[in-house]
Amino acid sequence: MEEIPKTNFSLKDVVSISDFKREDIEAVLNVAECMEKLPKERKSSLLKGKIVASLFFEPSTRTRLSFETAIQNLGAGVIGFADAKVSSVKKGETLSDTIRVVSGYADIIVMRHYIEGAARLASEVSSKPIINAGDGANQHPTQTLLDLYTIKKAFGKIDGLTIGLLGDLKYGRTVHSLAQALSLFDKIKLAFISPEELKMPEHIKEHIKGIKYEEFTELAAVLPELDVLYVTRIQRERFADPAEYEKVRGKYIVNKESLKGAKECLKIMHPLPRVNELSPELDQTKYALYFEQARNGVPVREALLYLLKDVRKW
Amino acid sequence: MVKKTKDGLYIKPIKKGTTIDHLPAGTAFLVLKIIGTPEDTITVAVRVPSRKLGIKDLVFAENKLLSEEQIAKIALIAPNATINIIENNQVKQKIRLQQPSEVKGLIQCINPNCITNVENIPSRFYIDKNGIAKCHYCERTMTREEYIARIRV
Ligand SMILES: [Zn+2]
């Protein structure tokens, strides 16, 4: 029978990727791998009798469905709401009070909020673990963990890979968290590929000083070296001058043509949803990893729920 | 206490109270906002020549002792300032300020969408060796210039 690995997972909440040490990330990835192999009946007994609150103060259907699937797969009950507009929280109750009350009912609280720092505050007032499913423009740690899991599953390892991050590197929280998390691994090389206006911010580069990275404005300049190309969308609103946007947008669209010269083993990732930055003509190629990436959200969230199921902070 | 520079005496010494020395030029008025109450006599010198800083500001507050919170705020503005507590024309205690590594409740977060600007909870920041402050909650960073402008007075 498949055994769930014993781990050194040290966190009591999952609020920010910056709280993770390498051991914590590895714990999540190892348990996630096991979750994919466990027989359904065995899995559905892991959180039996537990209640998980799913509090979506801001709607996010994909993330919510992925979490709620994970919760149900593990046999726990779900309480909560999908949109704060239809719940009592709109009646002026503070977030702290809502969380204190819900932490009296639930064993784990999954929350998404439109205010940055909401998850950190919740973790300070809740006696039960908080899993941050996105707090405004700040953190979305489960996205980063599923990105790492996807890389590890595709290559068997994360150490030693060369990973390109392409698109809006200035405002994209996904690429900031991913770069931070990758910096905990060994012999990683990062390539930041973006227009001048949307380069990786200094404070992120400061944070990942330990690893090798280089900046490019053209994908072609670094493509032959890449094992992974992580694509993100460039939004028109980010440009003060619309003419500038028109000038750069075509340069950062990834399609069969722009992948000429890529390694055989190159994998393309994208947090989805995509608009036009990633051509559908790639969907059936060996490069496409993004649909698998989306599916990996479930085992990774199952792993987090499992690792936090018995945590009581006080 | 007499404050002498190579050009002479800029402020009349005080018998009793607090002097704040080695303030970066231009920060005295912010310090005044932090310590000033209408019943105090306070003398200020701005852009005084200084061997250490080139030019500096000075603040002398008669009969006044600063609270810990006021001192903590001055340390944010001027981490290299010196505070002297004066009694009977003598320096009774010298406090050399230091850049704090963590501050609670003293600064407002620059991010309007930060939970500390929405819910009534004290702000909390970590300040690194380069003087960059990071919000404990929303994780946004501020330069010294940015957070000095957001000290709660
Ligand atoms: Zn903040």
Side-chain angles (χ1 to χ4, degrees):
Chain A
M1 199 158 94
E2 190 72 36
E3 278 306 313
I4 302 170
K6 291 256 177 298
T7 73
N8 296 322
F9 191 68
S10 67
L11 302 178
K12 292 183 160 36
D13 301 280
V14 173
V15 168
S16 165
I17 208 70
S18 48
D19 298 333
F20 278 75
K21 298 193 294 286
R22 179 170 174 154
E23 295 76 47
D24 298 315
I25 292 176
E26 277 171 350
V28 176
L29 306 192
N30 291 340
V31 174
E33 192 182 345
C34 175
M35 288 295 163
E36 292 205 78
K37 294 178 191 152
L38 276 186
K40 225 178 153 104
E41 313 73 61
R42 171 88 197 286
K43 210 154 93 174
S44 66
S45 68
L46 293 176
L47 262 72
K48 206 166 186 166
K50 304 265 181 197
I51 300 282
V52 180
S54 165
L55 311 183
F56 279 65
F57 294 87
E58 159 190 79
S60 171
T61 308
R62 287 158 179 276
T63 306
R64 187 173 58 82
L65 292 181
S66 167
F67 265 112
E68 292 182 4
T69 304
I71 296 166
Q72 308 245 11
N73 284 349
L74 299 183
V78 194
I79 57 169
F81 46 84
D83 184 349
K85 278 192 206 79
V86 298
S87 81
S88 67
V89 293
K90 271 277 155 168
K91 290 179 191 152
E93 189 180 44
T94 64
L95 174 67
S96 309
D97 282 357
T98 305
I99 296 298
R100 280 191 192 101
V101 170
V102 174
S103 68
Y105 309 147
D107 297 285
I108 299 175
I109 299 174
V110 173
M111 65 175 275
R112 184 178 184 103
H113 206 290
Y114 48 90
I115 303 285
E116 284 110 45
R120 181 71 68 191
L121 174 63
S123 76
E124 292 171 345
V125 299
S126 169
S127 58
K128 311 288 176 55
I130 298 286
I131 300 179
N132 183 7
D135 61 328
N138 183 29
Q139 284 275 335
H140 191 11
T142 62
Q143 175 72 48
T144 309
L145 292 165
L146 79 86
D147 291 344
L148 294 170
Y149 181 64
T150 304
I151 295 171
K152 193 184 166 201
K153 215 169 132 183
F155 291 87
K157 59 166 190 177
I158 295 173
D159 292 327
L161 295 177
T162 300
I163 297 171
L165 306 177
L166 175 136
D168 179 356
L169 305 186
K170 185 173 178 186
Y171 299 101
R173 70 175 174 189
T174 317
V175 285
H176 297 168
S177 297
L178 185 57
Q180 270 183 45
L182 286 169
S183 74
L184 299 173
F185 288 82
D186 294 328
K187 297 193 180 115
I188 292 284
K189 279 198 256 173
L190 294 183
F192 300 147
I193 310 146
S194 74
E196 257 328 298
E197 298 86 338
L198 298 175
K199 278 166 73 172
M200 191 62 93
E202 285 306 319
H203 69 271
I204 302 290
K205 290 194 268 184
E206 178 76 16
H207 208 96
I208 58 163
K209 266 198 301 213
I211 56 165
K212 278 192 190 160
Y213 66 83
E214 245 186 291
E215 299 183 281
F216 302 89
T217 53
E218 309 267 344
L219 172 60
V222 66
L223 179 69
E225 292 170 48
L226 299 180
D227 299 304
V228 175
L229 176 61
Y230 198 104
V231 181
T232 62
R233 194 197 324 166
I234 293 176
Q235 287 170 287
R236 188 189 299 268
E237 309 87 87
R238 300 302 187 200
F239 288 81
D241 178 1
E244 277 305 307
Y245 170 75
E246 291 306 326
K247 231 165 50 191
V248 305
R249 61 182 290 204
K251 261 171 75 178
Y252 300 92
I253 289 175
V254 179
N255 52 29
K256 278 187 177 164
E257 177 66 28
S258 60
L259 290 183
K260 277 190 180 147
K263 274 188 188 175
E264 275 296 296
C265 68
L266 173 77
K267 295 291 176 219
I268 308 272
M269 294 173 65
H270 189 293
L272 301 180
R274 64 177 155 183
V275 181
N276 58 357
E277 64 277 12
L278 192 54
S279 166
E281 68 184 22
L282 294 171
D283 295 357
Q284 303 306 321
T285 67
K286 60 182 184 290
Y287 302 127
L289 196 58
Y290 32 94
F291 293 123
E292 151 118 38
Q293 182 187 357
R295 276 197 302 279
N296 287 337
V298 174
V300 165
R301 288 167 178 133
E302 286 169 355
L304 289 171
L305 293 163
Y306 174 78
L307 289 166
L308 293 170
K309 70 185 168 60
D310 298 317
V311 169
R312 296 288 175 275
K313 290 185 278 175
W314 56 81
Chain B
M1 205 195 111
V2 179
K3 205 67 229 164
K4 266 210 168 108
T5 70
K6 55 187 177 223
D7 300 315
L9 192 64
Y10 279 90
I11 301 190
K12 182 173 160 281
I14 59 173
K15 274 190 195 145
K16 184 167 181 271
T18 304
T19 69
I20 309 165
D21 196 357
H22 302 118
L23 292 170
T27 60
F29 289 103
L30 189 51
V31 170
L32 270 191
K33 259 201 205 162
I34 286 162
I35 66 167
T37 49
E39 63 269 25
D40 294 316
T41 303
I42 295 175
T43 330
V44 175
V46 174
R47 303 180 70 81
V48 174
S50 153
R51 248 166 297 150
K52 227 162 110 182
L53 300 173
I55 48 169
K56 66 178 179 184
D57 290 359
L58 292 167
V59 173
F60 283 24
E62 280 181 51
N63 300 317
K64 186 164 177 69
L65 285 176
L66 301 183
S67 69
E68 268 183 45
E69 186 178 308
Q70 287 168 328
I71 293 173
K73 287 177 179 173
I74 295 167
L76 286 173
I77 299 166
N80 300 312
T82 312
I83 294 179
N84 290 312
I85 297 166
I86 312 291
E87 253 175 46
N88 300 321
N89 297 308
Q90 302 285 318
V91 178
K92 193 187 146 209
Q93 195 193 344
K94 197 181 249 315
I95 306 168
R96 286 185 206 284
L97 297 183
Q98 271 182 354
Q99 161 108 25
S101 58
E102 193 182 333
V103 286
K104 268 189 188 170
L106 304 183
I107 317 173
Q108 184 177 10
C109 186
I110 193 171
N111 174 8
N113 202 39
C114 174
I115 190 75
T116 59
N117 288 322
V118 177
E119 203 133 310
N120 187 21
I121 52 163
S123 68
R124 187 168 161 194
F125 292 87
Y126 305 104
I127 303 180
D128 72 9
K129 56 182 194 315
N130 302 318
I132 302 290
K134 184 178 179 187
C135 177
H136 167 70
Y137 291 96
C138 76
E139 306 189 15
R140 272 279 285 271
T141 54
M142 288 191 271
T143 62
R144 175 175 285 131
E145 208 174 33
E146 286 170 330
Y147 65 74
I148 283 176
R150 288 169 179 81
I151 295 176
R152 294 176 195 275
V153 288

